[in-house]
Amino acid sequence: MTGVPSGTKVAIAVEKVAASVMLTEKDANGRYGVPMSEQTIADFGSLSPTADDATTLRLDGKRLLPTAAGESRTQFRITTTAADGNVLVSTADCPRMELGMYYTMNFDYASLAPYMRFEAMTISDWQEGWSFTGEILNPTNN
């Protein structure tokens, strides 16, 4: 996340994540690995500033299971706490995460809103991007 004001804390949790995967089962496409319907929340805690820029916060190298079976979307809960104690909870409503895929989320602090919906688009045979549609509110104005 870029453009984070000094003293602001940012925490991330991912909801609707499968609690387990049946590795010996095949999915509808014939690939091994089927997420179960039991859900969990992956709480990653606070992001940390990068070494070269304190206004850029990162959470690198985290791995989690795909979206639970029966769920069409995944939700990221982003909680920002400003230096003055003002809290904004944002929900990033994203397409489901599939088993064996790699996802990167990049946010600009000024673009955070209480609710953000992302849609998938194909970039190439190897990549998928998400685009945001909806109103973008300034998180410092309530």
Side-chain angles (χ1 to χ4, degrees), residues 1 10-17 40-45 47 59 62-67 73-80 88-98 102-107 112-118 130:
M1 182 176 296
V10 179
I12 302 284
V14 184
E15 301 174 356
K16 300 184 180 181
V17 175
T40 189
I41 296 173
D43 188 351
F44 291 122
L47 293 120
L59 183 66
K62 299 297 181 182
R63 305 215 189 297
L64 64 147
L65 293 176
T67 302
R73 301 187 66 80
T74 300
Q75 292 183 335
F76 287 76
R77 187 178 61 240
I78 305 163
T79 305
T80 59
L88 171 69
V89 178
S90 300
T91 299
D93 185 359
C94 301
R96 65 178 289 111
M97 295 183 298
E98 299 295 339
Y102 180 81
Y103 299 91
T104 301
M105 299 293 290
N106 296 312
F107 291 100
L112 289 178
Y115 178 79
M116 302 171 289
R117 183 178 174 92
F118 293 83
W130 292 349

Side-chain angles (χ1 to χ4, degrees), residues 121-129:
M121 64 183 164
T122 301
I123 296 172
S124 70
D125 291 342
W126 297 96
Q127 293 180 301
E128 183 176 273

Side-chain angles (χ1 to χ4, degrees), residues 21-35 99-100:
V21 173
M22 293 294 295
L23 297 175
T24 58
E25 298 285 324
K26 288 186 179 181
D27 66 11
N29 296 321
R31 296 176 297 189
Y32 282 101
V34 175
L99 186 65

